[in-house]
Amino acid sequence: MIADVVVDLQYGDCGKGKVSHHLCRTNDYTHVIRYNGGCNAGHTIYHEGEKFVTHHIPCGVFFGVKSIIGPGCVVNVKQFMSEIEELNSKGIKTEGMIYIASNAHIITDFHLAQDGQDEIIGTTKRGNGPAYRDKYSRKGMRALDMPELTDYIIDMYNELHENSEFEEVKILFEGAQGFGLDIDWGDYPYVTSSHCTVGGAILNGVPPKAIRDIWGVAKVYETYVGSKLFEGVDPIFAKIREVGEEFGATTGRPRQVNWLDFDLLKMAININGVNKLVFNKMDVLDEIKTWNLYNGINMFEFTKSEDMQYWITEMLKDTDVDIVFSGNKDRI
Ligand code: IMP
Ligand code: MG
């Protein structure tokens, strides 16, 4: 068994969808597995020139690869069904392609109502926190308890280990949210309720030794959506938001913007064990002609794109990662 993992190193919205799409195009995976979160996520994917925003469904479906919502996820059944309908209406075949792990948990209407009352964290109000709370307090409902999901249920052990139809199972794990939102490593309590690191992927039924590449995804600046104050005072951040189209794919909320925090990035690389690193949205800083980042408490200002890229590459030398700088609309 081989598994590659795509993880976000900041606060979500760094372009995991784009990297996952690229990896699916260039590898022969047998499965794509979403390993954490629910429909709080919004993955923007450009496939054959058309824009898709998926919340639950992994990107494997665009390539005819078996796509599974893993046991680390929570599922809103109505949302799931409507995503399937939408994909079908745009000509993407989903039959026999999309599954939900029997032991994934369900987001109920009660969870949605409760999350709707949140005034502290600034959640996406998609019922995520209450669904995980009930999972861990052992009062949750699981996918296998839902009669309407019968056709979509999959037993992960059977599928990946015991009775696999494939000679060698090759998995792409598609993460949601990001390191800064991780329940354990993020800026608690301004976090989501799931495991957004590589650790979270392994919880979905694969042995650690199966992991091959760990693709970390970051932006050359940072964005965050939620209640805490994140954006700096400089009006340039509003400019970045506009040029970078930094508005939530799920809620449409404006994302707060700030410069890259190099310490956070390095921590996320080390804790996840990243060996391939994609920086997105280089072209946004190039367009506004400002290339800044924080190194500890100091702000570094570069005079050109190449200098910033060189500095980052040098500083990450001892982590042994392969680095790609990519623009918003570029392929990798
Ligand atoms: P929740 O996951 O809806 O409970 O929200 C908790 C925090 O994570 C809030 O700050 C959300 O804005 C943020 N969040 C959740 N999902 C995403 C995402 O996919 N992208 C960016 N931020 C997210
Ligand atoms: Mg997103």
Side-chain angles (χ1 to χ4, degrees):
M1 187 187 291
I2 287 175
D4 294 335
V5 187
V6 176
V7 281
D8 183 300
L9 305 177
Q10 293 157 342
Y11 300 89
D13 308 315
C14 287
K16 290 181 293 294
K18 166 174 156 173
V19 174
S20 302
H21 190 263
H22 162 78
L23 289 173
C24 276
R25 201 155 28 80
T26 51
N27 286 269
D28 53 344
Y29 296 114
T30 56
H31 301 81
V32 177
I33 304 177
R34 267 282 309 275
Y35 64 82
N36 72 297
C39 46
N40 47 354
H43 290 188
T44 307
I45 288 167
Y46 290 88
H47 182 68
E48 293 174 358
E50 197 168 354
K51 181 179 174 177
F52 293 86
V53 178
T54 62
H55 299 281
H56 272 314
I57 292 177
C59 71
V61 71
F62 294 101
F63 298 92
V65 180
K66 242 181 175 175
S67 294
I68 306 177
I69 296 169
C73 298
V74 288
V75 186
N76 174 332
V77 177
K78 269 187 225 137
Q79 170 67 31
F80 171 77
M81 295 296 187
S82 80
E83 266 178 57
I84 288 192
E85 261 171 45
E86 194 191 329
L87 288 171
N88 290 342
S89 76
K90 289 181 168 174
I92 306 287
K93 186 180 165 289
T94 58
E95 213 190 312
M97 212 72 84
I98 294 181
Y99 295 91
I100 303 175
S102 55
N103 48 347
H105 274 250
I106 296 297
I107 300 170
T108 64
D109 289 344
F110 178 61
H111 296 148
L112 285 171
Q114 277 198 320
D115 200 20
Q117 316 264 302
D118 162 69
E119 284 174 0
I120 295 167
I121 307 301
T123 73
T124 59
K125 303 198 190 302
R126 296 298 189 273
N128 208 65
Y132 280 109
R133 178 202 60 206
D134 282 356
K135 166 178 171 170
Y136 287 105
S137 61
R138 294 155 297 170
K139 293 175 190 151
M141 300 245 290
R142 296 192 295 174
L144 55 79
D145 302 323
M146 308 300 281
E148 62 268 53
L149 291 181
T150 309
D151 292 345
Y152 297 100
I153 296 298
I154 207 164
D155 177 309
M156 292 297 272
Y157 182 61
N158 202 47
E159 177 68 20
L160 301 180
H161 298 270
E162 201 68 354
N163 285 308
S164 179
E165 63 180 291
F166 304 100
E167 202 169 303
E168 185 177 32
V169 171
K170 291 185 187 160
I171 300 167
L172 177 65
F173 277 115
E174 200 184 352
Q177 288 84 46
F179 188 79
L181 295 171
D182 179 76
I183 182 74
D184 293 315
W185 294 101
D187 188 13
Y188 193 90
Y190 298 100
V191 294
T192 189
S193 300
S194 65
H195 301 284
C196 313
T197 61
V198 171
I202 293 166
L203 295 171
N204 285 251
V206 304
K209 68 170 193 255
I211 305 291
R212 180 178 61 179
D213 288 328
I214 298 166
W215 287 76
V217 189
K219 283 194 289 214
V220 286
Y221 53 87
E222 287 182 2
T223 62
Y224 157 83
V225 195
S227 291
K228 74 174 175 184
L229 179 63
F230 182 81
E231 187 160 308
V233 286
D234 193 330
I236 199 165
F237 296 124
K239 188 103 187 281
I240 295 179
R241 175 164 41 250
E242 198 182 302
V243 174
E245 297 168 39
E246 298 294 356
F247 297 87
T250 298
T251 58
R253 291 181 290 178
R255 297 172 182 152
Q256 297 187 59
V257 181
N258 215 323
W259 304 121
L260 176 79
D261 174 349
F262 188 74
D263 286 347
L264 176 78
L265 179 82
K266 201 161 175 191
M267 185 175 169
I269 290 171
N270 286 329
I271 285 180
N272 282 300
V274 169
N275 67 320
K276 310 268 185 193
L277 175 53
V278 178
F279 281 102
N280 278 314
K281 300 218 173 174
M282 195 71 239
D283 54 350
V284 175
L285 294 190
D286 295 350
E287 192 171 329
I288 60 159
K289 298 195 173 0
T290 310
W291 301 274
N292 297 350
L293 56 76
Y294 297 115
N295 182 26
I297 55 163
N298 302 311
M299 191 171 88
F300 285 16
E301 302 177 50
F302 301 92
T303 49
K304 55 181 195 293
S305 197
E306 291 74 23
D307 291 356
M308 183 180 190
Q309 294 180 29
Y310 180 78
W311 187 90
I312 291 173
T313 308
E314 281 297 303
M315 291 294 283
L316 292 176
K317 235 181 192 142
D318 54 350
T319 59
D320 231 12
V321 287
D322 300 334
I323 305 176
V324 178
F325 290 91
S326 170
N328 194 13
K329 306 227 158 63
D330 300 341
R331 285 189 160 186
I332 295 158

